Amino acid sequence: MNQLAVIYWSGTGNTEAMAQAVAEGARSAGADVKLLSADMASASDFESCDKFALGCPAMGDEVLEDSVFEPLYLSMLPMLCGKPAVLFGSYGWGDGQWMRDWKQRAESDGLILCADPLIVNEAPDEAALANCRSLGAALAEH
Ligand SMILES: Cc1cc2nc3c(=O)[nH]c(=O)nc-3n(C[C@H](O)[C@H](O)[C@H](O)COP(=O)(O)O)c2cc1C
């Protein structure tokens, strides 16, 4: 136990850059971090983890990416329930509705969200990356 998982899906690299910064912040706060793209992961990869940072951009029409991330998220729900978690992701032309919906859903799925979700318009700049590092540190210290 005592591993922190950073799990993300990213089509064009924006959420991936956020994920790397979240992992960096968590590591600098002392966490043992497992950073994995959803394409390369299955729920069993995270059995040793007890904290979760989940990243997915706004896709479709204000929803999570539905072919890889959504199925992984659903398969992980039994292990996510009751665990500290944070949500993050990048968006484009919308206003963040996908994340408001995901937050509400995650809370009703039983995740313990220990910080407000972090959203970034398109590619994260230096200030956004600093916020990602702080989010990772907040989860590690929770
Ligand atoms: C198929 C597709 C659907 C998208 N749907 C939305 C959307 O509903 N709302 C929004 O704000 N941005 C939407 N976007 C924009 C992406 O969320 C945005 O470009 C984001 O930075 C992509 O992150 P990534 O580089 O991690 O893939 C969509 C992009 C694509 C390619």
Side-chain angles (χ1 to χ4, degrees), residues 8-18 55-63 89-98 120-124:
Y8 67 94
W9 182 92
S10 185
T12 56
N14 299 332
T15 305
E16 180 173 33
M18 295 179 73
C56 185
M59 295 299 286
D61 183 11
E62 300 295 335
V63 292
S90 175
Y91 67 100
W93 52 84
D95 69 350
Q97 187 59 46
W98 106 103
V120 170
N121 188 234
E122 300 293 353

Side-chain angles (χ1 to χ4, degrees), residues 17-83:
M18 295 179 73
Q20 285 166 350
V22 169
E24 198 182 306
R27 281 194 187 108
S28 26
D32 176 13
V33 175
K34 196 168 198 175
L35 170 67
L36 274 181
S37 163
D39 316 68
M40 311 292 288
S42 66
S44 59
D45 291 321
F46 304 108
E47 274 160 6
S48 60
C49 298
D50 54 5
K51 295 180 179 183
F52 297 87
L54 305 171
C56 185
M59 295 299 286
D61 183 11
E62 300 295 335
V63 292
L64 299 175
E65 191 281 326
D66 65 357
S67 66
V68 174
F69 190 85
E70 172 78 26
L72 179 64
Y73 178 72
L74 289 177
S75 71
M76 289 183 65
L77 280 181
M79 83 172 64
L80 292 172
C81 187
K83 302 275 173 49

